[in-house]
Every structure is written in C-alpha cells, then in structure tokens.
Amino acid sequence: MSVVLNFRSHLSELFAQALREVSPESADTSILIERPKQTAHGDYACNLAMQLAKPLRKSPRDIANALIAALPKTDFIEKVEIAGAGFINVFIAPAAKQAVVNSVLTAGAGYGHGHVGQGRKVGVEFVSANPTGPLHVGHGRGAAVGDCLCNVLHAAGWNVTREFYYNDAGVQIDNLTLSVQLRCKGVTPDDPSWPDSGYRGDYIADVANAYMAKETVEADDQHITGKGDVEDKEAIRHFAVAYLRREQDLDLRAFQVEFDVFSLESALYTEGKVEATVQKLIASGHTYEQDDALWLRTTDFGDDKDRVMRKSDGGYTYFVPDVAYHLEKWKRGFVRVINEQGSDHHSTITRVRAGLQALDEGIPKGWPDYVLHQMVTVLKNGEEVKISKRAGSYVTLRDLIDEVGCDATRYFLAARSPDSQLVFDIDLAKSQSNDNPVYYIQYAHARISTVLAQWGGDKQALHTVDLSVLESDYEKVLLQKMIDFPTVIETAANDLAPHQIAVYLKDFAADFHSYYNASRFLVEDEQVKLARLALIAAIAQVLRNGLSLLGVSAPEQM
RNA sequence: GUGCCCGUAGCUCAACCGGAUAGAGCACCAGCCUUCUAAGCUGGGGGUUAGGGGUUCGAUUCCCUUCGGGCACGCCA
C-alpha cells in the first residue's frame, strides 16, 4: 500500500475528479473535507452533495450516489457511506492510518511541519514594552502568544523574524527620567510634590540607587555607567532606559522568549527616518497645517478623523515614528508583518495603515496584520490581585514565573484565544494535580518515557515493526489524532491562533490517558508489544513537538 | 455617544473560516491502584449557546436589533 497521510487534500482531489465527471459545469465548487465529530460518521466527511442540490435541482442523496460512483478507486479508502441529509462519509483503511506511526518516528521533531509559508519572510513584533518598568502580566500574554505564534508560523514553513520595538523616545521617557531624578534627590512618591505622571514603583528607587552608586549595566548592545550626577538629566535618561531594558531582557530570558531584532524608536529619529517619512507624507499631498500643527488626512484612508503628526510644540506624535518604523519593515522585505499587542492599542491600526497608504509605496491595504490580546486578570485565593511589591500598580510577569513556574505561566497565557479576556488563576496554575492542564499533558509524556525506559529495547527497532494489530478503538483514535497534527499547525498558522495547539494537546493527552488505563504495553506477545510501543513512542514525539510549539518542556519523569 | 473585542454548564474555556446528538476540565455524586507513574481512568447529573428577529437544506458561527461586560476614543504611547 502506498503511504498517503494527507487524506484531507487527497480526498479533496478525488472528489474534484468525481465532480468533473458528474457535473462539469459545477467544477469550480469549493470542496470541503472535514472531520466528523462522531466516529460513526467515518473519518472524513464531504458535504458536496448538499451544496450541489440546489444548483443541480436534484436530491442530495442522488448526487451523493453519483459522486461515489465516480470516485476514483484508491486503496486507502475502506468504504464510503451516505448519511443524514446527504453527507458522504469516508472510512480510511486501518493500514493507511497505521502508517502514521512510521512517519512520526521517521520525521521526529519535524513531524507536523508543513510548507504553506513557502519560506516567505514574516516579521512578528510582540511584547514591545516601553522601557519604563518591569514587564507586567499583559506583556506576558503578548510574549507567550507571540512566541508561540512564531513557532507555529515557523513550523508552517514561514521564515520568521521575532522583533521587539522599544518606545525609548517620547513623553513617557521624560516622565521616567524625572521620576528617577526625584528619587536620586530623596523625594518619594508619598511626597506632595511627586508629579501625577511620575512612576511610583519601588524599582524607580533601585534605578536611582544604581545610578548614584555609579553601577554599570549591560543592555544587549551597550554598556552604561551611572554618572551619579543628580542634575544631568541626559545621563539619567540613558542610564534609566538601559537599566530597565536589561531588567526586561532578564524577564524575557526567564520566560524563555528570545528575539532576533530589537528596534529602537530613538534610532528612527537619530537616523533621520522620522524626518524622511514626514517629508514623504507632505510630498504625497495628504497633509495640511492647522492650529500650528501638521495633520495627516487619515480620513482619506478610513479613519474617523484626521490625526496630528507634528504638535504645535514641534514634537511628533507617536504614530509618526510608528509609520516610519513600518516603512522600514516593508523595505526589509517582509511580505507579511504581524503585530501582537494589547487590545488597548487597537486604535493605532487604522492610523498606521493609513500612514503607510499615504506614502504610496505600493504597500497592500491590510498590511500589517494585527493580533490583539484582551486584558488579563490575575486571581489568587479567589480574589483579584492588582499590585506587586516591586512595580506597585500592576502584577509583574516575574511574579507569575516565580510563583507558578515558566511552563505553567506560558501555557496559561497562550492556551486561550487572544480575543477573549483571560482570568489567570494562580492557585490553579500552581496546583500539581488533575486540575492543571499543563501537568496533564506533560504527565502523558512522562508516562510514555517510563514505559519505554522499562522496556529498554532499541528505539530504532520500532521503526520497522508490524503495526497491523493496532485495531482497538483507542488506537484508531490516537492514530487519527496524529494524522491531524499537521493540519492543526497549518490552521493555527493561517488563523493566527496559537491557542489551537494547546487545545489539541489537551485533547490528545486525554485520549492517551484513556488508552493507558485501558491497555498494557509490556505484554508477552512480542508483535503486540512492539506495535504498541511504536505507537506510544510516536505519541510521545507528537506531544514533544506540540509542547515545544508552546515553549513548554516535555519532562521524562514527573 | 462612536469604534473594536466578548457573552456557550455553577466556575474556567473549546467547537476545524455554516454541518449531523454543542464538547473538555474544575466543582458535585458513584466507582477503579499486590501488575508499565492515581499529577491517571470509568460512569452520572448539569445547556432555550444572553434575549428577540432574519438569511437557508442546516446557525454557537453570517446579518439586524436589544441587554450585559471589557477596551479605546488626546497636539499620550
């Protein structure tokens, strides 16, 4: 039997052929192959007959019969049935499914990877926190979702660049500088003179102390030493930004998130990119002066009102460097750019896209893409937690990692649709029990590792075993689940929905645990034993591959 | 008031860009460890998918509307 595993696309082709024969005039009808929810409905189902009923003015069942008769013969299909209103249900031959075990063992860490990305360049920007304090839970969600999305896109064949954009220019940095300076002078947030816009967290005092003690910080590309001069605002600014960038780097490292590129807003100014963008926009004819300010007519591109580019005090608003930054990305050759941000930034989308359209550089209208995640609430002992010791007004990512660990934090933050608000229950994430889905999945992997270790045989030998005895309902389900994995990755990449990986894994782990409880692996019968061991070895591989997409470890024992 | 996201079991969430009887976990009830990890498994109760219209063979999904929650509406980022 020939090895076919992409049953979905194969069936799609077969049905297309049948369609051309049955109804050539409908040949352009899109053919949807889906997985039925119930096993009684077969392994795959096609609703083509129902779609054609109206245009052909025939009953769906008659069309279904004709389609089945015209379906090219192939050995991976066991039988085809008509059911319900006119569904065509396809049952795959057991041997064809069993072949997935070998594919998984052979492909190893590469199993599940696909080519829809065709090696094209995609830039994913995420986290992009202002360097004004430690990362908070929201940044954590961005980091988890963004990193997982990158992994998924990579697995789907995209050439991914991970990018972090520092807003290290602008008013918030002035506020930071002032706050640190005041701390250097011994003024605290309790003092009546502390400005409303000042940063109040304890970490500001840490920055001030380090500056006064003339400490040196290393932030990725630079070494900055505190000058200790209370009056030198420029020196304080440099030091504070470097100090907090280092702090964020450490948070990210603890979260096991790495970036390929760090872009600085300040560099866009010093390199003249901002000014050049402004000149281009003026030349484009979409700007005008009013009230001593320069405006961009974003209403030409779908915005509900025009936006100020240059304030009356001469400074630019944040979206100008944003447009300059995205123009740079375009020039760097990203056919696709995805920005993962908190939903509180959603108003920038229209503005940035409008600015890019106004430049008339041939940038597509919907470019760049955005994935916006909703707010995170942290729960502990059934109550909402709003503050941390160090940051004062918010819960830091570091607090979560320290309390519940990197794996659980990543899982919980990435496992839900970004569109939904998220409740992070610290007690649940910490619990080492069946309450906790992370351990549930990892536990499945650990159980398999133990069995394989106890067997102690040569794993290479599992590549060539006879799999025909894998016929139980448990085994059929697990085989099909593994066959589904590449499609899950592809769909998650297309939908920009990395949480689908987490959902899949939990489901898959549940199927395994049921199987584990119902079966024994180290049995007398050598053929049965080897077949089952090959199966669970493949399951462990898929679990590893899936967990690695989430950035979660797959322990050998727990 | 305007725009975006959301509303699914008591709680936290799924549902493959319209499919068949809406699924998991927690919690609750009843069971399963002298045999490969019980961080597990098996069974049970629990739903008018916020309400109301519409589109069609078929709607949690698409459209309209009402209600409720979040976010954003600045010459802030």
Side-chain angles (χ1 to χ4, degrees):
Chain A
M1 174 171 298
S2 57
V3 177
V4 174
L5 282 175
N6 199 341
F7 299 122
R8 199 184 283 254
S9 66
H10 260 77
L11 287 169
S12 183
E13 272 173 43
L14 296 180
F15 275 103
Q17 282 183 46
L19 177 60
R20 280 197 288 276
E21 192 170 315
V22 171
S23 172
E25 66 275 18
S26 318
D28 57 344
T29 309
S30 72
I31 293 170
L32 180 67
I33 304 291
E34 51 192 0
R35 297 269 342 271
K37 286 173 186 152
Q38 294 172 62
T39 50
H41 293 151
D43 298 308
Y44 294 91
C46 182
N47 64 356
L48 189 55
M50 289 181 289
Q51 286 178 43
L52 293 176
K54 199 165 204 180
L56 297 185
R57 302 170 73 177
K58 284 189 198 166
S59 91
R61 285 187 159 257
D62 288 346
I63 299 170
N65 271 314
L67 284 170
I68 291 171
L71 210 57
K73 295 283 168 274
T74 167
D75 55 5
F76 74 78
I77 294 178
E78 185 176 62
K79 61 173 173 173
V80 182
E81 287 178 356
I82 302 178
F87 289 101
I88 301 173
N89 294 335
V90 179
F91 295 76
I92 303 296
K97 286 194 190 180
Q98 287 153 2
V100 72
V101 170
N102 219 334
S103 298
V104 173
L105 295 177
T106 304
Y111 181 73
H113 288 217
H115 307 286
V116 284
Q118 300 172 308
R120 287 171 292 172
K121 281 184 73 173
V122 57
V124 182
E125 180 201 325
F126 57 112
V127 185
S128 293
N130 294 338
T132 55
L135 299 179
H136 56 64
V137 199
H139 296 129
R141 189 174 194 184
V145 170
D147 193 46
C148 183
L149 178 61
C150 288
N151 290 337
V152 167
L153 287 168
H154 169 75
W158 287 85
N159 176 3
V160 182
T161 300
R162 290 157 210 258
E163 189 145 339
F164 189 124
Y165 178 61
Y166 277 109
N167 287 110
D168 63 339
V171 177
Q172 79 282 4
I173 297 297
D174 297 337
N175 290 334
L176 171 70
T177 308
L178 178 61
S179 305
V180 173
Q181 186 182 37
L182 287 170
R183 279 287 197 170
C184 289
K185 291 176 175 170
V187 182
T188 66
D190 304 328
D191 195 283
S193 68
W194 192 267
D196 288 341
S197 57
Y199 292 96
R200 316 177 86 86
D202 289 351
Y203 65 91
I204 295 292
D206 296 344
V207 179
N209 290 337
Y211 175 78
M212 295 309 283
K214 301 182 181 178
E215 285 179 19
T216 297
V217 297
E218 293 172 39
D220 169 61
D221 54 353
Q222 49 189 334
H223 298 244
I224 306 275
T225 300
K227 199 171 170 187
D229 179 351
V230 189
E231 298 306 325
D232 191 338
K233 288 193 92 164
E234 201 51 25
I236 294 175
R237 188 178 71 79
H238 271 292
F239 184 81
V241 168
Y243 186 101
L244 292 171
R245 277 189 60 190
R246 181 189 61 176
E247 175 136 344
Q248 293 184 352
D249 283 351
L250 292 174
D251 287 347
L252 290 169
R253 203 161 301 169
F255 207 40
Q256 294 186 33
V257 173
E258 289 183 18
F259 287 87
D260 303 306
V261 177
F262 289 92
S263 290
L264 270 57
E265 181 186 6
S266 58
L268 293 167
Y269 282 99
T270 55
E271 290 165 12
K273 303 271 171 60
V274 174
E275 194 54 40
T277 299
V278 170
Q279 292 312 319
K280 259 185 213 151
L281 287 171
I282 291 173
S284 77
H286 292 289
T287 63
Y288 59 93
E289 301 255 2
Q290 187 181 308
D291 303 330
D292 295 326
L294 179 66
W295 297 69
L296 180 66
R297 211 183 310 272
T298 51
T299 48
D300 288 352
F301 306 96
D303 205 352
D304 53 353
K305 54 181 159 182
D306 293 337
R307 305 291 167 177
V308 169
M309 292 170 58
R310 189 172 58 224
K311 300 179 278 184
S312 51
D313 70 4
Y316 292 113
T317 56
Y318 75 93
F319 103 92
V320 179
D322 251 18
V323 171
Y325 174 44
H326 281 88
L327 176 60
E328 281 303 298
K329 289 188 188 178
W330 176 253
K331 287 182 175 168
R332 282 159 57 198
F334 292 114
V335 294
R336 190 171 194 189
V337 159
I338 300 163
N339 295 331
E340 205 290 351
Q341 304 177 335
S343 64
D344 52 337
H345 288 86
H346 76 254
S347 58
T348 68
I349 298 176
T350 318
R351 258 171 262 188
V352 168
R353 285 181 181 161
L356 291 169
Q357 288 305 301
L359 287 169
D360 200 21
E361 293 271 344
I363 298 174
K365 266 192 175 171
W367 194 96
D369 279 328
Y370 284 83
V371 172
L372 301 180
H373 63 257
Q374 301 287 317
M375 299 290 114
V376 181
T377 354
V378 178
L379 221 57
K380 190 175 184 180
N381 300 324
E383 288 182 16
E384 186 177 349
V385 186
K386 285 187 171 162
I387 54 172
S388 78
K389 196 156 189 318
R390 187 155 159 70
S393 56
Y394 56 85
V395 180
T396 64
L397 173 59
R398 186 58 73 104
D399 288 340
L400 289 184
I401 299 173
D402 289 346
E403 189 142 12
V404 310
C406 182
D407 281 346
T409 306
R410 286 190 67 129
Y411 182 88
F412 274 75
L413 291 175
R416 308 245 147 96
S417 162
D419 283 340
S420 295
Q421 290 170 45
L422 172 64
V423 176
F424 193 108
D425 187 334
I426 289 189
D427 304 311
L428 175 62
K430 274 174 79 172
S431 76
Q432 298 204 344
S433 71
N434 50 359
D435 307 9
N436 193 328
V438 198
Y439 296 126
Y440 185 81
I441 298 165
Q442 291 179 322
Y443 188 48
H445 184 263
R447 277 180 143 179
I448 295 174
S449 300
T450 307
V451 175
L452 291 174
Q454 228 154 84
W455 168 58
D458 177 15
K459 287 185 189 170
Q460 206 59 32
L462 297 176
H463 288 227
T464 53
V465 303
D466 177 5
L467 300 163
S468 60
V469 295
L470 299 176
E471 285 183 316
S472 73
D473 286 344
Y474 292 108
E475 288 155 348
K476 282 185 204 159
V477 167
L478 287 162
L479 290 169
Q480 182 63 52
K481 275 277 160 50
M482 291 196 285
I483 292 167
D484 289 341
F485 188 57
T487 310
V488 171
I489 291 179
E490 188 177 319
T491 308
N494 289 341
D495 295 354
L496 306 181
H499 73 283
Q500 290 173 4
I501 303 294
V503 173
Y504 168 86
L505 284 177
K506 204 177 138 195
D507 208 34
F508 185 46
D511 291 331
F512 169 73
H513 284 307
S514 291
Y515 180 48
Y516 182 93
N517 267 277
S519 336
R520 292 197 59 77
F521 307 104
L522 302 175
V523 292
E524 287 296 318
D525 185 319
E526 193 69 7
Q527 189 196 352
V528 172
K529 180 173 78 180
L530 289 176
R532 289 182 180 169
L533 289 174
L535 173 61
I536 64 172
I539 292 170
Q541 183 68 59
V542 172
L543 286 170
R544 271 197 297 280
N545 295 1
L547 285 170
S548 100
L549 291 174
L550 293 175
V552 173
S553 67
E556 301 279 316
Q557 44 180 282
M558 294 172 70

